[in-house]
Amino acid sequence: MRVLLRQVQTELKPSAVAQHSELDHAQKISWPEGFSDFLACIGEPIETVHLPLSNPGESYDVPHGQAGAKVVWTVGEPLPECWKVAAYHSDALAEMRNFSPEHLEKADGIVVQGESFSAPLAINTADCLAVAATMEWEETIELASCFHAGWRGYTSGIQQNFLSLLQREMRQNPVFETNKNKPHFWFTISPAIQGKSYPCGDDVLQALRAHHNRFLRTADGWTEVHERAFASAAGLAEFDRTGKIFPDLQALLCLELHAYGFPLSQVSVFREDTRHSSWWPSHRRSVAGEFNRARRFVTHLCPPACRQVQNRVSKS
């Protein structure tokens, strides 16, 4: 898979998310040490951004890719008439074609062809990763997806299922065989709990090891540098001392995308620790406060000129 995907990469202008780079967040953003070493070693940029949010009633939108899509976050209520799935911590992706806001597939992600991308794709989370992704060709969105990747979904390989769909789409679309302009791939990774705030036990350790053995160490792009970064991002160093690991799912996903041929210049990470945030809902914070249920925030991937965004987003 890596060889096929690596062949389609082309030189790109900076991500549109860089418009937010005037924010002074250099001292706030932190990665696990080994992952930071990995970024320095490969010499590729990765857009890491803090969102300037303060009021619980706010929503926020940022550009995604170069074809006019946006990622929008809301707390509690999703945008009207969005396309959602009934997530259950699986690796299942629902391939949808006919839009219906009432129809909830039992899956943890949605994939739509460009011609069916007529409404926001939405995923609820409260510590887990939500990932928005598009495949774009000549300023047209060919494929769009939004999926939920907590530790169960991540270690089961929901992101691998999405990469397999990309591979299939590229093989089945003759335009990619005959045209010198190749598709671009864009990923936006939503705020999530960070490793230092995410102590996990042996069940998560074994799941990460199984995922590593199945998908990562066999990838063509996996190197010793990736291996060291994986141990750091998975928080393995603390296990012998504390019996806990501290996985950083944002870093782990970035590491995996790079190993499969995606330049990190095409990945935007919103580096917020939901566990210690005053704005982003958190399941772990809710449990610590003995609340019955955490609020959820909703990550939406919205098509260009999305009516729901124009009507509802309060800050941009």
Side-chain angles (χ1 to χ4, degrees), residues 143-180:
L143 196 76
S145 179
C146 196
F147 59 89
H148 165 226
W151 72 264
R152 291 181 180 85
Y154 170 80
T155 57
S156 297
I158 190 169
Q159 67 280 7
Q160 289 287 331
N161 291 344
F162 177 67
L163 299 187
S164 295
L165 287 175
L166 290 181
Q167 184 182 44
R168 185 191 70 189
E169 184 70 14
M170 290 170 61
R171 286 176 170 167
Q172 292 180 350
N173 194 329
V175 73
F176 300 146
E177 296 291 333
T178 60
N179 199 293
K180 65 179 181 180

Side-chain angles (χ1 to χ4, degrees), residues 164-208:
S164 295
L165 287 175
L166 290 181
Q167 184 182 44
R168 185 191 70 189
E169 184 70 14
M170 290 170 61
R171 286 176 170 167
Q172 292 180 350
N173 194 329
V175 73
F176 300 146
E177 296 291 333
T178 60
N179 199 293
K180 65 179 181 180
N181 295 323
K182 300 302 182 180
H184 300 156
F185 304 95
W186 300 93
F187 296 86
T188 297
I189 301 176
S190 288
I193 195 168
Q194 293 181 16
K196 63 181 180 294
S197 303
Y198 194 33
C200 297
D202 187 67
D203 54 341
V204 180
L205 173 63
Q206 297 308 319
L208 281 172

Side-chain angles (χ1 to χ4, degrees), residues 16-200:
V17 175
Q19 295 174 15
H20 298 270
S21 62
E22 70 274 8
L23 300 175
D24 182 15
H25 50 261
Q27 294 183 349
K28 297 180 180 178
I29 291 174
S30 63
W31 289 107
E33 181 178 354
F35 184 74
S36 295
D37 293 343
F38 161 76
L39 294 177
C41 180
I42 65 172
E44 289 190 13
I46 181 170
E47 185 66 35
T48 54
V49 180
H50 272 279
L51 296 176
L53 300 171
S54 58
N55 299 319
E58 285 183 334
S59 57
Y60 205 85
D61 70 293
V62 297
H64 172 95
Q66 296 182 330
K70 286 186 175 182
V71 172
V72 177
W73 292 278
T74 61
V75 172
E77 293 299 319
L79 294 173
E81 299 179 16
C82 65
W83 215 340
K84 289 185 63 185
V85 289
Y88 64 110
H89 297 278
S90 72
D91 65 350
L93 291 171
E95 296 185 64
M96 312 293 283
R97 295 190 180 274
N98 299 313
F99 173 70
S100 170
E102 289 80 30
H103 184 60
L104 293 178
E105 287 279 334
K106 189 177 182 182
D108 277 82
I110 313 168
V111 179
V112 298
Q113 298 290 326
E115 64 270 16
S116 300
F117 188 28
S118 58
L121 313 182
I123 296 292
N124 286 345
T125 57
D127 282 335
C128 297
L129 293 186
V131 182
T134 54
M135 179 171 73
E136 302 178 7
W137 181 75
E138 293 191 344
E139 299 183 353
T140 300
I141 296 174
E142 297 290 329
L143 196 76
S145 179
C146 196
F147 59 89
H148 165 226
W151 72 264
R152 291 181 180 85
Y154 170 80
T155 57
S156 297
I158 190 169
Q159 67 280 7
Q160 289 287 331
N161 291 344
F162 177 67
L163 299 187
S164 295
L165 287 175
L166 290 181
Q167 184 182 44
R168 185 191 70 189
E169 184 70 14
M170 290 170 61
R171 286 176 170 167
Q172 292 180 350
N173 194 329
V175 73
F176 300 146
E177 296 291 333
T178 60
N179 199 293
K180 65 179 181 180
N181 295 323
K182 300 302 182 180
H184 300 156
F185 304 95
W186 300 93
F187 296 86
T188 297
I189 301 176
S190 288
I193 195 168
Q194 293 181 16
K196 63 181 180 294
S197 303
Y198 194 33
C200 297

Side-chain angles (χ1 to χ4, degrees), residues 11 22 57 73 103 181 201 216 220 225 229 240 252 291:
E11 184 176 352
E22 70 274 8
W73 292 278
H103 184 60
N181 295 323
L216 300 183
D220 291 341
V225 177
D240 289 340
L252 287 167
F291 299 113

